Amino acid sequence: QVQLVESGGGLVQAGGLLRLSCAASGRTFNNYRMGWFRQAPGKEREFVAAISRSGHSTYYADSVKGRFTISRENAKNTVWLQMNSLKPEDTAVYYCAASTSVGVPLTANLYAYWGQGTQVTVSS
């Protein structure tokens, strides 16, 4: 198992940037495909980005493609989400998640472990 703790959320103006971090416990971090999801009030949890175990491959939702970048450093047991050109519609609680899926995990049901979430609020 792995424990995940997100940090880096906050309040930012539209057009600004934030860098979210996800710190993972354990020695087997590189066994997990990692993802970021977000959930706004009254809406379902939404896929944002995912990264392969090695960090070689990345995947993004169309809504964030070109603005967000997911990365990882396995030696530090950490995954990041760099968010640029933020929009008010990016406002949500952002969750880091870990998957043992044999394929590419692009849906929440394929992630077994979740962080507590960090709030991102983008003002107009």
Side-chain angles (χ1 to χ4, degrees):
Q1 295 187 0
V2 60
Q3 294 184 355
L4 307 173
V5 180
E6 303 96 333
S7 63
L11 175 65
V12 65
Q13 293 184 356
L17 59 89
L18 285 172
R19 184 176 175 87
L20 306 183
S21 297
C22 175
S25 66
R27 299 174 60 192
T28 59
F29 179 66
N30 63 342
N31 289 337
Y32 297 95
R33 298 168 177 86
M34 300 296 297
W36 287 95
F37 290 77
R38 66 187 182 187
Q39 188 165 24
K43 298 198 173 185
E44 65 182 14
R45 191 162 296 186
E46 175 188 23
F47 169 76
V48 175
I51 190 166
S52 63
R53 289 173 291 180
S54 68
H56 179 71
S57 300
T58 58
Y59 312 88
Y60 299 94
D62 288 342
S63 59
V64 307
K65 195 172 298 181
R67 299 187 297 120
F68 291 10
T69 303
I70 187 172
S71 60
R72 70 190 295 166
E73 186 169 343
N74 290 343
K76 294 184 177 180
N77 280 15
T78 303
V79 61
W80 296 273
L81 184 68
Q82 178 67 49
M83 305 185 295
N84 299 332
S85 301
L86 283 162
K87 305 174 181 179
E89 50 263 44
D90 295 319
T91 295
V93 176
Y94 282 71
Y95 297 91
C96 175
S99 175
T100 57
S101 173
V102 297
V104 180
L106 303 181
T107 57
N109 65 295
L110 296 177
Y111 289 81
Y113 307 102
W114 296 82
Q116 83 288 350
T118 185
Q119 177 70 47
V120 172
T121 303
V122 184
S123 63
S124 300

